[in-house]
Each structure stands twice: as C-alpha cells, then as structure tokens.
Amino acid sequence: MGNLIPAVIDADFFNTATQNERGTGLFLRIMHDLNLHPVMHRFVADTELKSNSFLPDLIESDQLTVLDYEDYLLCDQEKQEYEEYFHEAFEKINHFAFPKDKDIYNYASPRENLGELRSLYMAMKKNYPYFMSNDGGSRLLAKTFFSNRHKIDVKSLYDALIQCKDTGTHLTWKDISPTVTIALRSRQDRIKNLKSLYHTDTPADT
C-alpha cells in the first residue's frame, strides 16, 4: 500500500462506481485523488459482488486487497467478541434476531444487511479510518458501535466526489455525470450541487 490510506469498500459503492461507469476508471480515479487503497471483505467480494465483472482484474493486479476473517480475528477471544457484536449489530440493522441455526461466518441473504456488518468490524480491527458505502445503515452501525472504540468515517459516493473536488481533482462533470445522474437520481439536489462544482472541462487547479 505504501503511503496510501486503506479504505474498506462496500458492495453498493463499488457497484455504483463501476457498473454505471461500465469500467473501473472512475472508481480508481476517486481512490487516487483521495490517496486511498481499496480493501474489501471476502464476503463482499465473493458473494455480494460475484456478478461484478470488473472486480477480478483489480484483485489480480493488486489494485484492491481482499481480506479474510483470519486476517483480523486472530484468537478465540477475538472471535467471541466478533460473534457478540455480529448478533447485536444484525438485530440493530435488520430489526430481527439472527437465526439461531445459522453460521454467522458464512450466512448470506440478499434481503439483509450483511456486508456492512462484516466490513465495518474488519475496518475497526485493522484500524482503517474509512468505509466507503452508499447505504445509510452503515452510518448508523458506525455511530452505534464504533464511535468510541475506533471512529470510522463513512463516505458515500457523493461525499467522496465532494472531497475529490476539495483536493483539486482533474475529474470534470463530463467524467462523473453518467454515474452521478443514475446513482443520485432520487437526490436531484445532490446532482445539482455536483454539477455546479464539476461543470468545467478544465482541471480544478488550472
């Protein structure tokens, strides 16, 4: 990673930044401009993003790192602490108790928030400062479980693009509009704000 800052990537953030773009160009540019190295939980990569055709190349080229449970749950005590967190966080975000007959390490369901639960805890254990997610539930989990132990800054695509502009990005409205107009179609105020900030064909620092 060198001097890059690790940032844990959620499925919705990655899908939004790549599928609407039909490639990894915008995603990688955001990572570059914010000096971030993307990190992903194995569950997110293998289960939630299994149909995303752009992810494998980033993994193979070491432009994105995938971590497994054994990379951050190193002993029985850490596993026990994680299991206690998982059950509490699952009920908090999904509004019902986790099924008693299921394995928390392998359980998958497209109707429930699972990638966020696992990814945020991984970010906390690895002391990574950022979690890139468009899901509002991620902010609730971060505030509820990690505001005291290890504050995790949750950034949506909108937040990331605002910060990119603050850093002097060379991205323009033409670069981001195909993704933004689809991803934020229910938030016209945010589209208008980004268009105002990025509506130029010249780099921000010229």
Side-chain angles (χ1 to χ4, degrees):
M1 295 184 192
N3 294 323
L4 299 179
I5 302 168
V8 178
I9 311 297
D10 196 18
D12 58 1
F13 187 99
F14 190 81
N15 270 331
T16 299
T18 59
Q19 291 186 336
N20 294 335
E21 172 75 11
R22 298 192 178 126
T24 59
L26 178 60
F27 174 78
L28 290 175
R29 190 56 201 239
I30 291 171
M31 295 295 104
H32 174 271
D33 287 353
L34 299 183
N35 197 39
L36 302 177
H37 177 81
V39 180
M40 195 171 284
H41 194 287
R42 174 68 64 185
F43 173 82
V44 174
D46 289 357
T47 302
E48 296 187 338
L49 290 174
K50 64 181 179 181
S51 62
N52 187 298
S53 60
F54 306 112
L55 182 60
D57 286 344
L58 294 187
I59 297 172
E60 291 174 11
S61 61
D62 294 325
Q63 295 181 85
L64 184 148
T65 300
V66 176
L67 297 182
D68 296 288
Y69 287 112
E70 53 264 32
D71 292 313
Y72 61 96
L73 299 179
L74 306 179
C75 64
D76 289 341
Q77 181 178 344
E78 290 188 341
K79 290 179 181 178
Q80 181 179 347
E81 291 172 352
Y82 171 67
E83 290 168 8
E84 292 172 356
Y85 152 82
F86 185 94
H87 284 93
E88 186 177 351
F90 182 94
E91 185 167 356
K92 178 76 174 179
I93 200 67
N94 291 301
H95 308 295
F96 60 91
F98 184 74
K100 293 182 179 180
D101 60 335
K102 302 297 183 181
D103 179 1
I104 70 169
Y105 296 97
N106 300 309
Y107 180 75
S109 172
R111 298 181 301 276
E112 295 156 18
N113 293 290
L114 294 163
E116 296 93 333
L117 299 183
R118 292 159 170 153
S119 296
L120 276 165
Y121 196 85
M122 181 180 74
M124 183 274 293
K125 290 296 291 183
K126 297 293 289 183
N127 202 34
Y128 294 161
Y130 297 112
F131 182 51
M132 317 300 281
S133 174
N134 298 327
D135 192 323
S138 298
R139 294 183 187 276
L140 175 62
L141 288 174
K143 181 178 180 180
T144 302
F145 294 97
F146 306 115
S147 58
N148 294 324
R149 298 173 65 185
H150 168 64
K151 185 176 180 180
I152 299 172
D153 189 357
V154 178
K155 290 186 178 297
S156 66
L157 180 64
Y158 174 78
D159 298 326
L161 289 172
I162 293 291
Q163 188 172 347
C164 282
K165 196 62 178 177
D166 290 341
T167 66
T169 183
H170 284 239
L171 287 168
T172 66
W173 175 246
K174 182 179 179 180
D175 297 324
I176 71 172
S177 60
T179 293
V180 166
T181 52
I182 295 174
L184 300 177
R185 59 185 176 273
S186 64
R187 293 296 306 270
Q188 291 297 313
D189 58 326
R190 292 191 169 190
I191 293 177
K192 183 178 180 180
N193 188 36
L194 287 172
K195 187 174 183 179
S196 176
L197 288 172
Y198 278 87
H199 196 56
T200 174
D201 291 327
T202 57
D205 57 349
T206 62

